Amino acid sequence: EEKRKLSREITRTLDQIVASRKMENILQDKYVTNREGRMVIPVKSGNQHDIKGLIHDASQSKQTVFMEPEEAVSLNNRLREVQILIQDEIHRILTELSRYLARFQTSFVNTDTSLLESSIAFAKAEFNLRIRGSVPKFSQNESFSLIDLRHPLLVYQGVDVVPNSVTLSEEFPILLLSGPNAGGKTVLLKAIGLAAQMARCGLPIASAEGSSLPFLENLDAIVGDLQSVGENLSSFSSHIARLTYALKHKGRKNLILVDEICGATDPEEGAALARSFIENFGEQGVFAVVTSHLGPLKEKWDLRTGLRHGSLEFNPKSGKPTFQLLLGFPGRSLALTLAESMGVPDLILNRARSYLSPESQRQSRDLGEIQDLKVQLLELKTHAQADRADAAKAKEQYLGLVSKFREQRDRWMQKAIEKTDKKIESLIEEAGQQRIRDRSLQDIKADLPEIIRARPLASKIQTLEEFKSLFKPGTPAYSPRLGRQVIIQSDPDSKGQVLVLADSMRIQVPWHGLSAPVPASNDLGERVIRRQSMSGSGANGTSTSTSSGLTDELEFCSLDLRGKRVDEALSHLEKWLDQCLRKQKDRVKIIHGFGTEQLKKSVRQYLSKSDYVQRWDAGDQTGGGDGVTWVYLAD
């Protein structure tokens, strides 16, 4: 309150100085402004010695200096002291609030933890929707059963992935994948590893419901070219180093993934070394998935090793891989077939076939026969799946017919019951008419129950207690004085005044001047009647106003700053606000438009710092939107 009084007194003192005739040749312009929290007046550069006071600032052009006259120094000093006291009080209040909120630190931490857990859960759910996956179970018997497994990254990118079911059990813990190049062996191997690792991290995996796998302690992936020039390791030596490191794993809590085992060396020696490593994995009791093109690894395995073959299907008719996994059979690499499909000349292909050893040719024939069997099995599987789909469709149609029959039966029974009820009522009514045939129609009507329409809420509240119970803050009400619906913002104060929100205005009105909200049609009628009563015709035909002060409450003046530069607009705004204060305007309107929003931001920044301004609001959609700012001036 003291700050407002001091501001008014300083402004009044400086206004008198500015209005003085002897200051006309000294001042640059007749207005009062604020510099560094002190009220000053603009003085022409070179005339500052003609006024006793302090210089606080100068314009960018150096044509104007802003001086604090001697008459306002003591007032400005006290105003500065009051501002410091206000800041100290704000600091004290914020300190008390901080200490109060510190008591709830544990609750805040728990809330933050709950929000974090919820956010993680929602992220997992969203991820699961995108990969069309499921939450796997951790198996107690230490086995893998991944149903319709897919690579999650491919599914996430929207690729139409061929699903494959993979099983690693106590009997067959090692899976050796073979098949043509670009047939999907490495992708399947990575999909198995990703499923195991994602399950360890508590994430859903890209597989169907019912999938299970053990909770692994170690997952060792030997995939890709691991050569290192810095460590003097070639592709093969780095590969062998990783395989040697994997030998330390023991037990079913370990999974080893090897892509193209020992493939970067002599095929005969590489196959012998690979077989030795795989047999050792079987002896160590680990789970392993291995891919290879080496022919010797496709036969002559001891059952005690626990190895099962798996091959990725190749369609010889189309000459393209199908990416379908078939367990129990090794697959051909089909290097010559792929070379032929890529346009290698027949001369090269025939010469290459002549170089094949008799054993390789025999193995190729045997694998070809197996390949034909696989094709037949896949065709049978496809037909079986089609038959199952047709059966499921027929079952669905049958269930639909049963449901439709039941609905029709229920409707028919309901109609029959209603028809019977009406017939019974008719018979009862006829019997009743026989009993009361001597009574008049008026007597019968008198006995009928009376239907009374519910009355609206009482328009007047009798007591303050009744008002408080019916009109809580936030509830709607009707103000006859304002002629519109309002929203209650507070309880009645000691003087019986209630703060209400009418459109974008907050106004205090007496509680006994409010009533229950009226329907929309009544509200419109009330407004029409009120407008007619407020604007009637006089005896001479001229319009006379009988408003009860509402127009005064809504009175404002406006300033249009569109098209002006920022510095020009702010200078004009400062003078205009000073004039509005002298005219005792409470609420004014500034039009700055949208444009690049630079003018709007500068105007609002200025208003936020101005001592003239109590607060400001952006315009609503019906009053210019964000291109208008409403300013409420300080008292």
Side-chain angles (χ1 to χ4, degrees):
E1 181 63 24
E2 184 179 358
K3 178 185 175 182
R4 284 197 293 268
K5 291 180 180 179
L6 286 169
S7 296
R8 286 197 296 266
E9 187 173 352
I10 294 171
T11 302
R12 189 164 46 250
T13 301
L14 294 180
D15 283 343
Q16 292 175 356
I17 295 175
V18 169
S20 176
R21 286 192 175 182
K22 64 180 182 179
M23 303 295 291
E24 289 182 355
N25 297 327
I26 298 175
L27 296 179
Q28 185 73 24
D29 207 342
K30 292 186 177 183
Y31 66 89
V32 178
T33 186
N34 186 297
R35 288 295 183 273
E36 298 179 356
R38 303 181 75 89
M39 305 297 289
V40 296
I41 58 177
V43 178
K44 294 179 181 179
S45 181
N47 294 340
Q48 59 267 33
H49 301 292
D50 297 333
I51 300 177
K52 293 182 179 181
L54 304 175
I55 298 175
H56 287 282
D57 198 1
S59 64
Q60 293 183 353
S61 62
K62 305 302 180 182
Q63 298 297 317
T64 305
V65 293
F66 296 95
M67 293 189 63
E68 179 185 8
E70 189 178 44
E71 295 88 338
V73 171
S74 59
L75 294 174
N76 271 325
N77 288 340
R78 177 55 187 166
L79 178 61
R80 187 59 181 163
E81 292 176 5
V82 171
Q83 291 173 343
I84 293 173
L85 291 174
I86 290 174
Q87 292 301 319
D88 291 343
E89 181 65 11
I90 292 174
H91 184 271
R92 183 190 66 80
I93 293 172
L94 292 178
T95 301
E96 289 186 5
L97 286 173
S98 300
R99 290 172 180 168
Y100 170 76
L101 293 174
R103 296 185 298 171
F104 304 100
Q105 182 177 2
T106 303
S107 299
F108 292 154
V109 172
N110 292 339
T111 302
D112 180 68
T113 302
S114 299
L115 289 173
L116 178 60
E117 292 175 353
S118 301
S119 179
I120 292 174
F122 278 111
K124 289 181 181 179
E126 177 67 21
F127 176 70
N128 191 38
L129 289 174
R130 294 197 181 190
I131 66 171
R132 304 193 301 277
S134 65
V135 178
K137 295 180 179 179
F138 289 112
S139 58
Q140 302 298 325
N141 57 354
E142 296 182 348
S143 63
F144 281 79
S145 179
L146 302 174
I147 305 171
D148 291 341
L149 178 68
R150 293 148 294 154
H151 195 294
L153 182 59
L154 296 178
V155 180
Y156 195 87
Q157 293 174 343
V159 179
D160 187 13
V161 182
V162 176
N164 286 299
S165 296
V166 180
T167 302
L168 298 176
S169 61
E170 189 75 22
E171 184 181 4
F172 296 107
I174 300 176
L175 176 62
L176 178 60
L177 295 173
S178 55
N181 295 90
K185 299 186 299 299
T186 304
V187 172
L188 180 59
L189 178 138
K190 291 181 178 181
I192 296 171
L194 281 171
Q197 183 68 1
M198 289 164 65
R200 291 173 68 189
C201 297
L203 293 174
I205 63 176
S207 68
E209 292 286 346
S211 298
S212 62
L213 69 171
F215 188 89
L216 299 175
E217 294 178 356
N218 298 289
L219 194 158
D220 205 340
I222 307 172
V223 180
D225 191 348
L226 305 174
Q227 66 174 319
S228 173
V229 177
E231 298 180 9
N232 197 25
L233 292 175
S234 66
S235 298
F236 182 73
S237 59
S238 61
H239 183 81
I240 295 299
R242 291 295 304 275
L243 285 172
T244 304
Y245 176 82
L247 294 176
K248 70 175 186 176
H249 300 311
K250 296 181 180 180
R252 295 289 188 248
K253 297 292 185 181
N254 300 275
L255 174 63
I256 300 174
L257 306 174
V258 187
D259 189 29
E260 299 296 344
I261 185 169
C262 300
T265 187
D266 177 76
E268 185 175 357
E269 292 185 357
L273 191 58
R275 184 182 292 270
S276 179
F277 272 111
I278 293 173
E279 288 178 348
N280 187 271
F281 293 155
E283 294 170 359
Q284 297 289 80
V286 301
F287 287 109
V289 180
V290 181
T291 68
S292 177
H293 287 285
L294 297 173
L297 296 182
K298 299 178 183 180
E299 57 183 0
K300 298 179 181 179
W301 282 97
D302 191 336
L303 292 177
R304 290 174 296 180
T305 305
L307 181 140
R308 172 188 280 181
H309 286 284
S311 62
L312 275 299
E313 180 58 36
F314 183 87
N315 191 336
K317 296 180 180 179
S318 64
K320 295 181 180 180
T322 64
F323 307 109
Q324 189 71 48
L325 173 67
L326 187 62
L327 294 173
F329 300 97
R332 291 187 296 172
S333 296
L334 299 173
L336 296 178
T337 303
L338 289 174
E340 183 179 6
S341 67
M342 296 182 66
V344 175
D346 293 338
L347 176 65
I348 302 296
L349 294 173
N350 294 332
R351 182 177 295 177
R353 291 189 182 97
S354 66
Y355 292 149
L356 290 174
S357 64
E359 184 178 357
S360 296
Q361 294 179 11
R362 178 191 58 78
Q363 187 185 56
S364 178
R365 285 195 302 271
D366 293 342
L367 291 177
E369 293 176 359
I370 295 175
Q371 178 74 23
D372 294 338
L373 290 175
K374 288 193 298 182
V375 172
Q376 295 176 14
L377 287 173
L378 286 176
E379 290 178 352
L380 291 174
K381 181 181 178 181
T382 303
H383 291 317
Q385 289 176 343
D387 292 340
R388 186 171 61 180
D390 292 340
K393 185 177 180 181
K395 180 181 178 181
E396 184 178 358
Q397 292 176 349
Y398 166 75
L399 293 176
L401 291 173
V402 171
S403 177
K404 186 176 181 181
F405 166 75
R406 288 174 177 171
E407 291 178 0
Q408 291 177 348
R409 179 197 63 187
D410 292 341
R411 285 199 299 268
W412 180 83
M413 291 181 65
Q414 184 65 29
K415 289 181 179 179
I417 292 172
E418 292 175 355
K419 185 177 180 181
T420 304
D421 287 342
K422 289 181 179 179
K423 188 172 183 179
I424 293 173
E425 290 176 0
S426 177
L427 293 173
I428 293 174
E429 184 178 356
E430 290 178 2
Q433 288 177 354
Q434 291 295 326
R435 289 196 302 270
I436 62 173
R437 59 181 178 272
D438 296 331
R439 297 179 59 187
S440 65
L441 180 61
Q442 294 299 326
D443 294 335
I444 297 174
K445 290 177 63 177
D447 291 338
L448 293 176
E450 183 181 1
I451 299 175
I452 302 174
R453 181 168 297 183
R455 294 181 179 178
L457 290 174
S459 59
K460 279 292 184 180
I461 307 302
Q462 303 300 325
T463 64
L464 180 59
E465 289 71 19
E466 184 181 2
F467 177 85
K468 289 182 178 179
S469 64
L470 293 177
F471 294 92
K472 304 288 186 184
T475 59
Y478 180 77
S479 173
R481 176 171 176 247
L482 299 178
R484 66 185 67 191
Q485 304 278 13
V486 298
I487 302 297
I488 304 297
Q489 298 286 293
S490 69
D491 290 326
D493 59 14
S494 58
K495 297 181 180 179
Q497 297 290 318
V498 180
L499 184 65
V500 299
L501 178 67
D503 294 336
S504 61
M505 300 182 301
R506 285 186 173 85
I507 303 172
Q508 281 192 329
V509 297
W511 69 266
H512 50 75
L514 296 172
S515 61
V518 297
S521 59
N522 291 349
D523 181 35
L524 179 61
E526 174 67 17
R527 292 189 183 184
V528 171
I529 294 170
R530 181 170 179 80
R531 288 174 183 170
Q532 291 175 351
S533 64
M534 290 172 60
S535 178
S537 297
N540 56 359
T542 59
S543 176
T544 60
S545 175
T546 59
S547 62
S548 58
L550 180 60
T551 305
D552 295 336
E553 292 178 4
L554 301 179
E555 184 182 357
F556 60 85
C557 52
S558 62
L559 173 66
D560 192 347
L561 298 176
R562 290 175 294 182
K564 292 184 171 56
R565 299 190 309 275
V566 172
D567 54 349
E568 178 187 3
L570 294 182
S571 175
H572 194 55
L573 173 61
E574 188 175 38
K575 300 176 186 177
W576 180 73
L577 287 177
D578 183 61
Q579 296 173 2
C580 292
L581 268 179
R582 286 202 295 268
K583 295 179 181 179
Q584 298 182 346
K585 298 292 183 182
D586 295 330
R587 179 170 177 258
V588 294
K589 175 181 178 183
I590 300 174
I591 306 172
H592 43 66
F594 298 96
T596 61
E597 297 195 352
Q598 185 61 39
L599 180 59
K600 178 185 73 175
K601 292 179 181 178
S602 301
V603 168
R604 290 180 176 175
Q605 288 175 358
Y606 175 84
L607 295 174
S608 300
K609 298 177 182 179
S610 176
D611 290 335
Y612 293 162
V613 178
Q614 182 180 1
R615 67 182 178 88
W616 59 265
D617 294 328
D620 56 20
Q621 294 300 321
T622 61
D626 206 32
V628 169
T629 299
W630 291 93
V631 181
Y632 297 85
L633 300 178
D635 295 338

